[in-house]
Amino acid sequence: DILMTQSPLSLPVTPGEPASISCRSSQSLLYSDGYNYLDWYLQKPGQPPQLLIYLTSNRASGVPDRFNGSGSGTSFTLKITRVEAEDVGVYYCMQAVQTPRTFGQGTKVEIK
Amino acid sequence: VQVEQSGAEVKPPGSTVRISCKVSGYTFTEYYLHWIKQAPGKGLEWMGLVDPEDDGSVYAERFQGRLTITADTSLDTAYMELSSLTSEDTALYYCRTGGSTNGFDMWGQGTMVIVSS
């Protein structure tokens, strides 16, 4: 199974400031089609997870452009250019290159 | 597009639970249907998936032998059956559908399963 490791696990943020979450995989997420199969989810309290980013850097429909994903191979990053109060919750990375799908431990983002 | 899960369940240890996930608004056979477990206060754990087109399934190793995921194309509904329940199975269970390459991704509201005598 591919092990996904996120850091930090807790991230206090100031509204208007940038934030960054790292996700590393134990194996490359590069598939034969040239894409890195890494997704980012945000789970707000009391809600199911919602897709933010798919295939490393593509924003899902309706996701604000302050969310940006990057990376390749085994190292990936989610950046929020200017955090807003509505961005609080737990962020998960997930690899979709093979089964079993595996998630990172989650990064809890909260306002300072 | 809607993904509607069945209601909460309370089950005794050793029993079996069956949760349903009904989809609407898209072609049921177009995407795999995944099941994800979230224990109280914990992260997300992928359990398995079903391909509604041929009812083929793939399971995470730690659930092998007691997990069955099926799909009924006549009802546009998938089912997750987990047997030999223990307190460790107390969790919120989500179904999720969508592709990995096009950003289509929909989750059910979650079904709470409590295992208690």
Side-chain angles (χ1 to χ4, degrees):
Chain A
D1 298 1
I2 298 177
L3 178 65
M4 305 297 290
T5 304
Q6 289 181 229
S7 63
L9 299 185
S10 177
L11 184 57
V13 296
T14 301
E17 294 295 305
S20 179
I21 301 170
S22 170
C23 176
R24 295 184 183 274
S25 57
S26 61
Q27 299 174 35
S28 175
L29 303 187
L30 179 64
Y31 192 57
S32 55
D33 59 5
Y35 290 99
N36 287 276
Y37 279 66
L38 187 284
D39 299 335
W40 287 97
Y41 287 89
L42 166 59
Q43 186 174 31
K44 296 183 178 181
Q47 296 183 21
Q50 60 187 88
L51 181 67
L52 294 176
I53 302 286
Y54 65 99
L55 293 178
T56 299
S57 60
N58 297 274
R59 279 183 226 98
S61 177
V63 174
D65 60 8
R66 63 179 181 274
F67 290 95
N68 295 282
S70 62
S72 66
T74 62
S75 181
F76 302 88
T77 303
L78 176 68
K79 292 184 179 178
I80 310 173
T81 53
R82 289 174 303 280
V83 173
E84 297 191 5
E86 66 183 26
D87 300 337
V88 298
V90 181
Y91 290 76
Y92 295 95
C93 60
M94 183 198 80
Q95 64 80 16
V97 74
Q98 67 178 222
T99 56
R101 301 284 194 262
T102 45
F103 293 90
Q105 315 97 299
T107 295
K108 187 173 184 178
V109 171
E110 51 193 4
I111 301 295
K112 281 183 183 175
Chain B
V1 176
Q2 286 196 316
V3 181
E4 193 75 26
Q5 295 183 224
S6 51
E9 302 264 9
V10 179
K11 291 289 187 179
S15 66
T16 297
V17 68
R18 190 186 196 217
I19 302 170
S20 67
C21 174
K22 181 170 175 59
V23 307
S24 60
Y26 75 98
T27 303
F28 183 51
T29 53
E30 191 168 355
Y31 299 107
Y32 295 165
L33 199 297
H34 304 251
W35 288 90
I36 291 103
K37 174 184 177 181
Q38 187 167 38
K42 302 296 185 182
L44 304 171
E45 180 178 18
W46 186 86
M47 300 175 71
L49 64 80
V50 63
D51 180 351
E53 191 149 43
D54 61 8
D55 207 26
S57 55
V58 178
Y59 303 126
E61 193 170 338
R62 80 179 211 91
F63 295 103
Q64 283 277 3
R66 65 186 194 102
L67 174 63
T68 305
I69 300 175
T70 57
D72 184 337
T73 54
S74 68
L75 298 175
D76 287 351
T77 299
Y79 301 91
M80 188 276 284
E81 187 171 282
L82 189 63
S83 63
S84 302
L85 293 172
T86 73
S87 58
E88 299 292 304
D89 297 313
T90 292
L92 193 56
Y93 292 87
Y94 291 105
C95 64
R96 172 231 160 199
T97 186
S100 299
T101 60
N102 63 1
F104 178 74
D105 189 88
M106 291 293 296
W107 293 61
Q109 79 275 22
T111 297
M112 187 68 204
V113 174
I114 297 172
V115 182
S116 173
S117 54

